[in-house]
Amino acid sequence: MPTIQTTDWLAIKGRVDTLTIALNLNEPGIQILEPGAIVKPAEDGFGPQPYVMLSDVVNDPDRGGRIDPALHVRTGTLMLALHWPISRGISHVQLKEIAGQIAAHFTADTCMSYGPSHLRVTQDASLLPPFVDGAYRVAVVRVFWSSM
């Protein structure tokens, strides 16, 4: 039987797996890489393609005076970092739009479940200001979640 940490991740990953990013920029679907993945973006005739790197920061459980560990509240932040190659050309507004489409997939009270894990998005996902990192423009989407 998987641990609660594993089923929490599988609940989150299940929601991520339903994410489709509709692009009007003649780009194929964007590759989504799990935490710790070796980054080797797909390429086409124009060079590296955009990708999203996942990261999940888990906080210490909140006991809230409860004795039963099953009643502990678990929280964390899922971060989806959209990496867009500068060589592919994209405006600031276009990058924010695509990141906004990702954020719109994680609205407040969205439920995510797998086995014993029942999680919910605690507030609408938010965007950090896009920045340039090496040969990529990066826009990070933060999704705050909590166990139910």
Side-chain angles (χ1 to χ4, degrees), residues 60-74:
D60 289 337
D62 178 11
R63 294 186 64 171
R66 299 175 182 105
I67 294 174
D68 182 353
L71 298 178
H72 290 188
V73 176
R74 300 175 313 284

Side-chain angles (χ1 to χ4, degrees), residues 2-34:
T3 65
I4 196 72
Q5 292 80 7
T6 300
T7 57
D8 281 356
W9 170 249
L10 292 173
I12 293 166
K13 182 70 168 78
R15 181 65 183 172
V16 170
D17 288 346
T18 65
L19 177 62
T20 56
I21 305 167
L23 302 176
N24 296 321
L25 303 170
N26 299 319
E27 294 288 343
I30 295 178
Q31 182 180 18
I32 298 178
L33 303 171
E34 291 194 25

Side-chain angles (χ1 to χ4, degrees), residues 19-120:
L19 177 62
T20 56
I21 305 167
L23 302 176
N24 296 321
L25 303 170
N26 299 319
E27 294 288 343
I30 295 178
Q31 182 180 18
I32 298 178
L33 303 171
E34 291 194 25
I38 305 294
V39 179
K40 181 160 180 25
E43 293 194 22
D44 61 13
F46 301 103
Q49 294 180 345
Y51 65 92
V52 173
M53 176 62 81
L54 302 178
S55 177
D56 187 36
V57 179
V58 179
N59 303 320
D60 289 337
D62 178 11
R63 294 186 64 171
R66 299 175 182 105
I67 294 174
D68 182 353
L71 298 178
H72 290 188
V73 176
R74 300 175 313 284
T75 61
T77 306
L78 171 66
M79 294 187 296
L80 302 99
L82 170 63
H83 293 255
W84 196 280
I86 292 173
S87 62
R88 293 188 95 80
I90 188 168
S91 72
H92 180 73
V93 170
Q94 289 171 317
L95 186 64
K96 285 186 74 126
E97 174 60 24
I98 295 167
Q101 290 176 27
I102 294 170
H105 193 65
F106 297 93
T107 57
D109 299 321
T110 297
C111 293
M112 304 174 286
S113 295
Y114 187 94
S117 292
H118 302 287
L119 310 176
R120 74 175 184 87

